[in-house]
Amino acid sequence: MFQMLLLLLLVTSCSAIPNDLSNKMFTFPQETNTAHVRLTTSRQNLRAVTVCFRFFTDLKRDHALFSLALPSFDNAFLFYNLAKLDSFQIWVNNMVTNFEGLDFKLNKWHSICATWDSTSGLVQLWLDGEPSNRKFTSSGSNINGPIIVALGQEQDTHGGGFDAKQSFVGMMSDVHMWDYKLSSCEIHRYVDEFGFTEGNVLNWNALEFQIIGRVLTENKLDVCQ
């Protein structure tokens, strides 16, 4: 019994040593207001941001994918997929920008990236390497920590306030974050999975994370994009 409890603790505890998740994915198997993956970064002051990841889902309701929160802004940097399947929202410092008419399909792996910098305040979304229109969201203020990043839930408070009806159900992999705007060429390299610069804020191949609740780490070898 003790050995089983110890194994469960190891599976769900925070890893102090960065993990190489190459050819791995997180599976979020059910709607819940608890299950998520919390990511750790030492970078706490961001003048610009690029976030990229891949995901697969059949959800037809609103759901959060990537949630970065501060004590001052619960939606400091948030990817939110709307029930209207061709529509996404990007939130920066609690200001929202809508992106419409995207070529998003259920039950398919998608690569998604977003870029933002505090000087111009412009945010842009890239879905499977195709860029959206650039739009203004928030300028003049950095994303300044303490940062908490959660995958699979939306933080309505700093590190919590989850709603099951906003939770992600599906699979996610290849999460990277940079403290600068990637060029379009770099984003295409990420999409093509060839020769891109790994994230210097979050790096899927050296990721510090904590799994809370029922989220699985599985092989992605049998999943083709």
Side-chain angles (χ1 to χ4, degrees):
M1 181 67 177
F2 175 77
Q3 289 178 331
M4 291 180 64
L5 291 174
L6 180 60
L7 178 60
L8 180 62
L9 179 63
L10 289 173
V11 169
T12 60
S13 64
C14 179
S15 175
I17 300 174
N19 288 264
D20 184 355
L21 295 180
S22 302
N23 297 316
K24 299 287 186 179
M25 64 184 182
F26 291 134
T27 297
F28 302 79
Q30 66 185 136
E31 183 177 291
T32 169
N33 66 351
T34 55
H36 66 288
V37 181
R38 182 174 293 195
L39 307 184
T40 301
T41 176
S42 61
R43 304 291 181 102
Q44 298 294 304
N45 190 5
L46 307 173
R47 291 187 300 171
V49 169
T50 303
V51 175
C52 292
F53 55 92
R54 307 184 211 282
F55 71 105
F56 184 109
T57 189
D58 64 356
L59 286 177
K60 292 184 178 181
R61 59 162 171 78
D62 293 1
H63 57 275
L65 293 158
F66 178 101
S67 171
L68 187 158
L70 308 172
S72 53
F73 297 117
D74 55 340
N75 294 328
F77 202 87
L78 170 69
F79 284 77
Y80 199 74
N81 194 355
L82 298 174
K84 184 182 176 183
L85 293 178
D86 65 348
S87 302
F88 281 80
Q89 291 180 338
I90 300 294
W91 292 72
V92 180
N93 291 335
N94 282 11
M95 298 184 67
V96 64
T97 305
N98 291 314
F99 296 93
E100 308 283 348
L102 303 174
D103 187 17
F104 176 77
K105 293 180 175 59
L106 298 179
N107 295 309
K108 176 184 175 181
W109 278 99
H110 291 280
S111 297
I112 192 166
C113 299
T115 61
W116 168 82
D117 74 85
S118 62
T119 301
S120 69
L122 295 181
V123 64
Q124 188 170 25
L125 188 70
W126 299 72
L127 184 66
D128 299 328
E130 294 297 324
S132 71
N133 191 19
R134 297 185 185 187
K135 297 185 177 183
F136 178 81
T137 180
S138 173
S139 65
S141 296
N142 293 359
I143 294 174
N144 194 2
I147 288 171
I148 293 179
V149 175
L151 303 180
Q153 297 283 353
E154 182 191 359
Q155 301 175 71
D156 285 332
T157 61
H158 189 227
F162 303 143
D163 181 346
K165 294 302 181 183
Q166 297 176 326
S167 65
F168 174 67
V169 180
M171 298 170 288
M172 188 178 299
S173 69
D174 303 314
V175 181
H176 289 267
M177 182 176 180
W178 299 259
D179 63 358
Y180 56 91
K181 286 177 59 179
L182 286 191
S183 68
S184 59
C185 290
E186 279 287 329
I187 288 175
H188 281 108
R189 290 188 189 106
Y190 170 84
V191 173
D192 294 338
E193 301 185 64
F194 181 76
F196 71 94
T197 302
E198 296 172 346
N200 64 347
V201 179
L202 298 171
N203 180 354
W204 187 252
N205 301 318
L207 196 67
E208 295 184 36
F209 64 92
Q210 180 184 9
I211 291 178
I212 296 95
R214 186 171 285 116
V215 181
L216 307 175
T217 304
E218 299 187 291
N219 290 331
K220 207 182 76 165
L221 297 178
D222 59 346
V223 178
C224 298
Q225 197 164 342

